[in-house]
Amino acid sequence: MPYKLWFGVFEDELKLAEKFEDSFVNAVNEKPIPFNVAELGIKVLGREYYRTLRRVAIGVAEKRIREELSSDERYIISLVKALESVEEIINVLKEKEEDLEANAIGEKFLEAIENMKELRDEIEREIDVVMAKIAPNLYEVAGAKLGAKLIEKFGGIKKLAFASSNKIQIIGAERSLYKAIARMKRGKDAKIPKHGIIFLHGFVRNLPKKKRGKMARFLASKISIAAKIDYFRGELDEGLFESVKRRFEELRREK
Amino acid sequence: MRNVRIINGIPATKSRYGSHYGERVIEIGGEKYREWIPWRSKLSALILKGHEIEFRGDERVLYLGASTGTTLSHLADVIDEGVIYAVEYSAKPFIKLLELAKERENVIPLLYDASKPWLYSGIVEKVDFIYQDVAQRNQVGILKANADFFLKNDGSFLLMVKAKSIDSTAEPKEVFDAVVEKISRDFSILETGSLEPYHKDHIFILGVKI
């Protein structure tokens, strides 16, 4: 069995790669290699082994970073769009199933609904994995699904990071917002929406109606910070979610 | 720990390099020490809490979940004559990690998913030590897979476990017990302990491959 190493392929004897960048990317082996890669490498490359390895690793990573940064974001946006379509399909199918329940064909609809639900769960799991990777702070503070929906609505992490937190608070409720503004312009009373898709967050949804506005405002500001950290630093800030949780507990106890 | 000393109650590592992430550099007797704040690094918290891990300084180390390289930069000061393979799968923090790798000769940066060790199986050599701090749910599986591929017999590992990453709804204690139980099936555990108050709901597990 040939062993694929970053500097070549070993099968009985070593065949040194022409371009280390290519062999580096192809150094994939199903099972652990039974010998020490570096020992063999040092025999071939001598004292330059680690220096060469490091140079190739840095070169390959630099190229891949640029590709990954944009493709992951496009992927998450596509996933969210797909998820929304699948959810819509499930609703439509359910409606039709109720109409046809009494007939034999109703059974077929139930089957289709089950299939669609499986697909939906699969997409949600994928969103979870990708969000944890590309936006760890949004993942913690907003949750995978809401975080992904926000990225999709704003058209990318950068745009979300630069958005104002009140925009984050009401996005998804634009229609009622502009309706309210129009009414106010005419001098009438109007209710400004307190939350848009942010309502999907358990901390907002699970509070009594009177307190949801406060929570939504606080959560939106923390989501804004989370997006900024994800965009600029990309490292998880442990304290952020704690502060959101504390605020939720506070509001819950408050009379 | 080698090259570590406590200065004014806070660990610091003796370093030939300057500041990596904005930490203070203190000079004592002509030697430079980089301040290692326990709230920012779990390994620093572990040291400050009095736990001891011995290094010779020339180990081969596999570091899973290197993120922006905060802890890694200090570990690279400790293992200053060794080699650290630093794996991180998220591109954003990797940019910062690359800066470190360009400066430090003993750091080899790998942009890979730690749950797929076969992808870098032809790159990483057999190692003496695995340091793992990943936020993925399947932490035990990741450790096991990487130990199978790369850890020498008698090689040791240090695993940082965050309860919330594994199950955000369960009680931390239950999560920890389950993790320790799972790990003890494949490894022998030397020591476990909490990282409070520096890191909430985190524990560390130090063990050996048998």
Side-chain angles (χ1 to χ4, degrees):
Chain A
M1 203 175 90
Y3 297 108
K4 294 187 215 149
L5 315 173
W6 71 267
F7 48 86
V9 177
F10 183 82
E11 193 176 19
D12 301 325
E13 57 178 41
L14 181 77
K15 199 171 166 288
L16 204 65
E18 276 172 30
K19 263 190 86 185
F20 289 150
E21 278 76 11
D22 296 336
S23 49
F24 186 93
V25 203
N26 290 320
V28 179
N29 303 275
E30 251 175 70
K31 293 211 172 82
I33 291 175
F35 53 88
N36 198 337
V37 176
E39 266 170 34
L40 178 68
I42 290 167
K43 269 187 207 152
V44 185
L45 299 170
R47 286 174 56 199
E48 290 297 300
Y49 178 79
Y50 288 110
R51 207 167 301 162
T52 313
L53 170 58
R54 193 166 137 260
R55 198 195 65 226
V56 175
I58 291 172
V60 170
E62 272 184 333
K63 220 189 268 166
R64 286 232 334 251
I65 276 184
R66 259 170 275 143
E67 295 161 10
E68 286 230 348
L69 279 178
S70 55
S71 74
D72 280 339
E73 235 173 283
R74 281 200 304 274
Y75 185 41
I76 208 80
I77 289 172
S78 306
L79 281 172
V80 170
K81 286 185 173 149
L83 181 68
E84 281 168 0
S85 302
V86 171
E87 280 170 344
E88 209 179 298
I89 291 167
I90 292 174
N91 281 336
V92 173
L93 284 175
K94 269 188 185 158
E95 221 173 86
K96 301 300 164 202
E97 192 265 332
E98 278 162 24
D99 292 347
L100 295 166
E101 220 170 5
N103 306 63
I105 202 159
E107 214 33 41
K108 288 273 172 210
F109 273 84
L110 281 177
E111 221 172 274
I113 291 169
E114 272 317 301
N115 281 335
M116 279 294 139
K117 280 185 175 166
E118 254 169 53
L119 178 60
R120 180 194 61 195
D121 296 346
E122 190 75 27
I123 298 173
E124 281 184 353
R125 272 195 294 274
E126 188 68 5
I127 287 179
D128 201 86
V129 170
V130 181
M131 280 298 287
K133 175 180 164 189
I134 67 167
N137 290 287
L138 271 177
Y139 180 84
E140 279 238 339
V141 174
K145 207 167 147 187
L146 174 58
K149 283 191 172 197
L150 284 168
I151 292 175
E152 191 265 333
K153 280 255 186 246
F154 280 90
I157 297 180
K158 184 179 175 182
K159 284 186 183 151
L160 180 59
F162 281 87
S164 64
S165 86
N166 44 53
K167 177 100 201 217
I168 294 171
Q169 187 183 341
I170 54 91
I171 197 160
E174 288 90 343
R175 208 195 290 177
S176 45
L177 175 72
Y178 291 122
K179 231 186 195 166
I181 292 174
R183 277 181 68 90
M184 281 161 74
K185 271 189 183 156
R186 281 183 270 132
K188 290 180 182 166
D189 271 356
K191 270 190 183 157
I192 296 209
K194 294 188 280 290
H195 34 62
I197 58 169
I198 220 178
F199 183 69
L200 290 172
H201 199 285
F203 286 178
V204 179
R205 211 176 37 208
N206 293 330
L207 281 173
K209 230 174 170 181
K210 265 167 64 188
K211 298 174 183 170
R212 284 178 195 162
K214 277 185 189 172
M215 191 65 217
R217 174 157 44 88
F218 188 82
L219 181 63
S221 73
K222 293 298 169 190
I223 286 176
S224 173
I225 294 171
K228 286 177 177 78
I229 302 177
D230 284 335
Y231 179 69
F232 288 105
R233 182 144 50 95
E235 201 181 17
L236 183 64
D237 186 322
E238 307 270 358
L240 209 52
F241 181 72
E242 285 303 314
S243 73
V244 177
K245 206 164 125 192
R246 224 177 299 130
R247 181 74 180 137
F248 172 68
E249 298 292 342
E250 251 173 52
L251 281 172
R252 210 177 48 171
R253 277 195 302 269
E254 226 174 62
K255 282 230 175 94
Chain B
M1 201 182 288
R2 186 188 148 87
N3 286 349
V4 175
R5 102 185 237 186
I6 312 274
I7 300 170
N8 299 331
I10 288 175
T13 52
K14 191 166 95 181
S15 183
R16 285 184 286 132
Y17 301 90
S19 174
H20 171 56
Y21 54 95
E23 77 282 16
R24 272 202 307 161
V25 180
I26 306 158
E27 224 180 292
I28 295 180
E31 273 169 344
K32 283 196 287 182
Y33 284 85
R34 292 170 49 239
E35 195 172 55
W36 194 1
I37 295 180
W39 285 276
R40 292 209 52 175
S41 167
K42 283 152 214 159
L43 187 54
S44 169
L46 183 146
I47 294 166
L48 197 56
K49 292 197 73 175
H51 304 283
E52 186 62 44
I53 302 172
E54 279 308 324
F55 288 109
R56 297 185 310 269
D58 63 350
E59 280 88 353
R60 302 295 183 256
V61 176
L62 177 58
Y63 191 128
L64 306 171
S67 191
T68 55
T70 304
T71 300
L72 172 66
S73 70
H74 291 284
L75 195 61
D77 285 339
V78 175
I79 320 271
D80 53 349
E81 288 159 20
V83 177
I84 306 179
Y85 296 88
V87 178
E88 170 59 45
Y89 78 147
S90 181
K92 190 51 69 68
F94 203 91
I95 297 172
K96 184 92 182 146
L97 180 65
L98 262 183
E99 280 174 30
L100 184 79
K102 283 180 188 167
E103 183 186 82
R104 306 286 187 116
E105 275 176 22
N106 57 348
V107 173
I108 293 164
L110 300 169
L111 182 58
Y112 286 97
D113 183 346
S115 65
K116 296 169 183 160
W118 53 91
L119 292 181
Y120 47 90
S121 57
I123 301 168
V124 176
E125 63 186 291
K126 303 289 181 248
V127 299
D128 307 289
F129 185 72
I130 293 181
Y131 182 93
Q132 180 177 319
D133 182 6
V134 300
Q136 280 146 285
R137 201 155 295 165
N138 181 27
Q139 294 183 2
V140 179
I142 290 174
L143 176 68
K144 175 85 173 55
N146 279 279
D148 284 348
F149 266 94
F150 308 112
L151 192 59
K152 291 177 185 168
N153 286 331
D154 287 334
S156 51
F157 67 86
L158 179 60
L159 175 69
M160 300 298 184
V161 189
K162 178 182 174 191
K164 212 175 149 274
S165 296
I166 293 178
D167 189 335
S168 55
T169 51
E171 274 298 306
K173 172 127 194 356
E174 284 167 27
V175 177
F176 295 146
D177 288 347
V179 171
V180 169
E181 197 275 316
K182 250 190 192 167
I183 287 190
S184 59
R185 282 183 222 160
D186 298 300
F187 302 94
S188 109
I189 295 179
L190 298 177
E191 196 180 359
T192 67
S194 110
L195 296 173
E196 308 263 2
Y198 308 105
H199 298 270
K200 212 179 153 228
D201 294 339
H202 279 79
I203 59 163
F204 73 84
I205 301 175
L206 181 68
V208 182
K209 179 173 174 178
I210 16 172

